[in-house]
Amino acid sequence: MSIRTDDLGFVFYEADEQEEKELEYVYAITDSWNYMGDEVIDTFPRRFWDRVCQEKIKAPFTKEMFLQETDIIATIKGFGLDVNKFWWAVLFVYDWSIEKFTKCFWVKLPPKSLTKIISVPLKWDELNN
């Protein structure tokens, strides 16, 4: 891995050639999403690798735990897939889903008036049953 600085002075980690090969399945996932040539999606693997190197991903599982799942490992190998590349894909999907769906924004509870409006159809259904 190498440390790089972009034009704005931000420091980030960049995968070296061997690490790029390990991320093959991660690139395959994002390429399948990117049928329109979106430059933002193209950055997902690089952002993921930067998060890995900065130890920002706090998954409830480890690579060691993953490798102990002998049935899963046997299935991966049975499909002719590379276990290490598959591991990176699993971690990527976990990180992407957590980042995009649980940390995307803070949801505030609706004001009382909105809560009352929402409850009206529920009461209506109760009356009609």
Side-chain angles (χ1 to χ4, degrees), residues 26-50:
V26 171
Y27 282 104
I29 291 168
T30 58
D31 288 350
S32 73
W33 296 341
N34 197 8
Y35 55 89
M36 298 293 285
D38 187 335
E39 292 178 14
V40 173
I41 293 175
D42 285 343
T43 67
F44 289 172
R46 290 189 300 267
R47 288 187 359 218
F48 166 69
W49 187 250
D50 186 60

Side-chain angles (χ1 to χ4, degrees), residues 40 44 47 95-105:
V40 173
F44 289 172
R47 288 187 359 218
D95 183 52
W96 188 85
S97 62
I98 292 299
E99 183 181 346
K100 297 297 174 197
F101 296 112
T102 63
K103 294 182 180 178
C104 56
F105 59 89

